[in-house]
Amino acid sequence: VGLNEIGRRTDAHGEPVVADRLLSLPLPLLEHLWPDEWRVVGLNEIGAEGAGALAGVLEECKKLAHLDLSRNKVGAKGVGALAGVPTECKALAYLGLSDDAIGDEGASALAGLLRECQALAHLDLSENKFGEKGAFALAGTLGKCQALAHLDLSWNSVGDQGAVALAGVFGECKALAHLNLSRTSVGDEGVGALAEVLMGCKALAHLNLSINEIGTKK
């Protein structure tokens, strides 16, 4: 459901066309349309309200493997609604929340959900305006995601302390093959901690630390 301006348009009666209108369809029909993959991607602006409506349906979608809500302005409140759903999505392997302005509060709420997603292999949290606090929260749970192979935290203010916290759990992510920490305000201390741990990550094939603060301090 991409580039459809869901949440910005109105119908013939002036009522907003938001995600909950779509999700008022009978669940069997939704599962027929998207048996294992849901995409509400790209500039749809479903916002927190739409994410809340979506959360009410997701707990019934036990086969869901791919969920992409990128660029939808979900925010911390929307992520909180999603994280509050009883976790029945045991098959979830892909979660995209890029550019959703979740902030530290949203990252902390998301951490609780990730603890249950043991099949998760791809997590994109780029451009979400969280900092060290959010990184600390994620660090406390990412080690549970044993299948995690692709992690994108770029364009967030992780900082040195956030990188140190994350480094402490990356050693548990044995499947990690792609790690993007570009533009995360990581300096020498953070990259030192990462280097010590990532040297032991045998599956790691791609590491992006571009445009950081490495080597800038004298």
Side-chain angles (χ1 to χ4, degrees), residues 41-186:
V41 298
L43 303 176
N44 276 321
E45 296 187 16
I46 68 169
E49 179 185 0
L54 184 63
V57 175
L58 287 181
E59 63 181 295
E60 302 296 333
C61 299
K62 295 178 174 62
K63 296 183 293 184
L64 183 68
H66 184 124
L67 177 61
D68 193 344
L69 298 177
S70 300
R71 297 185 178 183
N72 271 298
K73 297 186 178 180
V74 170
K77 185 177 179 180
V79 170
L82 292 169
V85 173
T87 307
E88 298 294 342
C89 301
K90 301 297 185 182
L92 188 65
Y94 183 110
L95 179 58
L97 289 170
S98 175
D99 194 14
D100 270 326
I102 69 172
D104 286 327
E105 182 181 351
S108 298
L110 183 64
L113 174 63
L114 295 179
R115 189 172 293 110
E116 305 297 329
C117 298
Q118 296 184 10
L120 190 67
H122 185 118
L123 177 61
D124 186 354
L125 296 178
S126 58
E127 299 184 69
N128 265 303
K129 301 181 180 179
F130 64 78
E132 289 184 351
K133 184 178 178 180
F136 291 155
L138 292 171
T141 193
L142 284 176
K144 303 292 184 181
C145 302
Q146 294 294 302
L148 189 64
H150 182 117
L151 178 61
D152 191 343
L153 300 178
S154 60
W155 291 82
N156 290 295
S157 300
V158 170
D160 275 336
Q161 296 308 308
V164 169
L166 289 166
V169 297
F170 284 155
E172 301 173 41
C173 301
K174 303 299 184 183
L176 190 63
H178 180 114
L179 177 60
N180 190 348
L181 291 171
S182 64
R183 295 180 183 268
T184 51
S185 303
V186 174

